[in-house]
């Protein structure tokens, strides 16, 4: 199952934003910023990564629902369920 082309751009944008946030957290640690501020930024990064993952899963679920005849829809849905639970 491939990630839908429309979702790819959005996911990449979210991942690049998270990448920038991670660089910011590293900078905060290097400059000795307050623990609470660092944890707050880490939580934001975590949410951004979760959203990227959920977007990929949502794309996969949509493909499962509209899958081609002859595809094993049950196996596809089971795979999506496992992926979803891995993010939960």
């Amino acid at each position: 199952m491939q990630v839908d082309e429309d979702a790819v751009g959005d996911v990449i944008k979210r991942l690049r934003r998270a990448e920038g946030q991670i660089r910011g957290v590293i900078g905060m640690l290097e400059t000795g910023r307050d623990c609470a501020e660092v944890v707050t930024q880490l939580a934001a990064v975590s949410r951004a990564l979760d959203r990227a993952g959920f977007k990929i899963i949502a794309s996969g679920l949509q493909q499962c629902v509209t899958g081609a005849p002859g595809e094993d829809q049950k196996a596809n849905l089971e795979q999506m369920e496992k992926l979803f639970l891995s993010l939960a």
Side-chain angles (χ1 to χ4, degrees):
M1 193 172 316
Q2 298 292 318
V3 178
D4 180 63
E5 289 182 29
D6 294 332
V8 168
D10 188 43
V11 169
I12 289 173
K13 188 185 324 177
R14 291 170 192 256
L15 291 175
R16 288 204 171 118
R17 187 176 309 128
E19 180 182 33
Q21 289 173 312
I22 290 170
R23 278 196 292 273
V25 169
I26 291 169
M28 292 172 76
L29 290 169
E30 291 173 341
T31 60
R33 295 283 294 270
D34 180 65
C35 167
E37 293 174 10
V38 172
V39 170
T40 298
Q41 289 305 310
L42 283 174
V45 171
S46 180
R47 285 190 304 274
L49 292 173
D50 286 345
R51 286 186 184 114
F54 288 132
K55 183 74 173 181
I56 291 170
I57 291 171
S59 171
L61 286 173
Q62 184 176 11
Q63 288 180 33
C64 286
V65 171
T66 61
E71 284 187 355
D72 186 356
Q73 298 301 324
K74 183 175 181 191
N76 285 342
L77 288 173
E78 287 173 357
Q79 180 184 14
M80 288 293 102
E81 182 180 356
K82 286 179 186 177
L83 290 171
F84 180 79
L85 290 173
S86 73
L87 290 174

